[in-house]
């Protein structure tokens, strides 16, 4: 079972302003702007940030701020089974509705010690 950090997701009421802040203030570079410049991916010195407002295809409650850290694994089923057996709380499981990620499964977990903003 291998893991790697895929991205950090920041949710904000003004994605364009937030993306500009990371680029102009912290030296991030633009990877992609999509959905009529309302969703951004920037490279913050090797860490990909996804910057969006709330997204309509997520069913769980969304808040502004650091929304999630996305970690990729080569064994989603095994990883989820192990996490659940260790007491992890799964907030949502879904298959991505984004065409270029159509086969990707996602699971949102509650952070330890109530540290999640969810």
């Amino acid at each position: 079972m291998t893991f790697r950090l895929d991205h950090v997701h920041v949710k904000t009421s003004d994605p364009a302003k937030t993306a500009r802040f990371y680029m102009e203030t912290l030296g991030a570079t633009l990877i992609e702007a999509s959905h009529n410049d309302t969703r951004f991916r920037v490279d913050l010195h090797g860490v990909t940030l996804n910057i969006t407002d709330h997204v309509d295809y997520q069913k769980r409650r969304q808040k502004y701020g650091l929304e999630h850290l996305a970690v990729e694994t080569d064994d989603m089923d095994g990883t989820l089974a192990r996490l659940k057996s260790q007491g992890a709380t799964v907030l949502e499981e879904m298959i991505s509705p984004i065409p270029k990620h159509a086969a990707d499964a996602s699971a949102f977990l509650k952070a330890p010690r109530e540290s999640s903003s969810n």
Side-chain angles (χ1 to χ4, degrees), residues 46-64:
V47 174
T48 299
L49 301 181
N50 288 355
I51 303 168
T52 69
D53 201 329
H54 295 156
V55 292
D56 57 0
Y57 55 82
Q58 288 182 343
K59 297 187 181 12
R60 61 194 171 72
R61 185 175 60 143
Q62 300 174 63
K63 292 184 177 182
Y64 292 129

Side-chain angles (χ1 to χ4, degrees), residues 32-114:
E32 174 184 34
S34 64
H35 295 79
N36 296 317
D37 289 341
T38 61
R39 295 183 185 178
F40 298 86
R41 289 175 63 84
V42 301
D43 181 322
L44 182 63
H45 310 287
V47 174
T48 299
L49 301 181
N50 288 355
I51 303 168
T52 69
D53 201 329
H54 295 156
V55 292
D56 57 0
Y57 55 82
Q58 288 182 343
K59 297 187 181 12
R60 61 194 171 72
R61 185 175 60 143
Q62 300 174 63
K63 292 184 177 182
Y64 292 129
L66 175 60
E67 212 270 336
H68 67 261
L69 302 176
V71 178
E72 203 173 88
T73 179
D74 61 352
D75 181 11
M76 177 64 97
D77 292 337
T79 299
L80 272 179
R82 185 171 54 98
L83 289 167
K84 288 176 183 178
S85 75
Q86 293 173 342
T89 302
V90 178
L91 300 171
E92 181 178 1
E93 291 181 52
M94 61 183 266
I95 300 296
S96 178
I98 301 169
K100 71 179 181 180
H101 300 289
D104 294 349
S106 296
F108 295 89
L109 307 174
K110 189 170 191 170
R113 296 190 189 151
E114 302 290 343

Side-chain angles (χ1 to χ4, degrees), residues 11-31:
K11 294 221 174 143
T12 173
S13 62
D14 192 340
K17 181 178 179 181
T18 301
R20 274 193 312 277
F21 168 81
Y22 281 103
M23 291 186 292
E24 294 171 2
T25 307
L26 299 174
T29 56
L30 182 66
I31 298 169

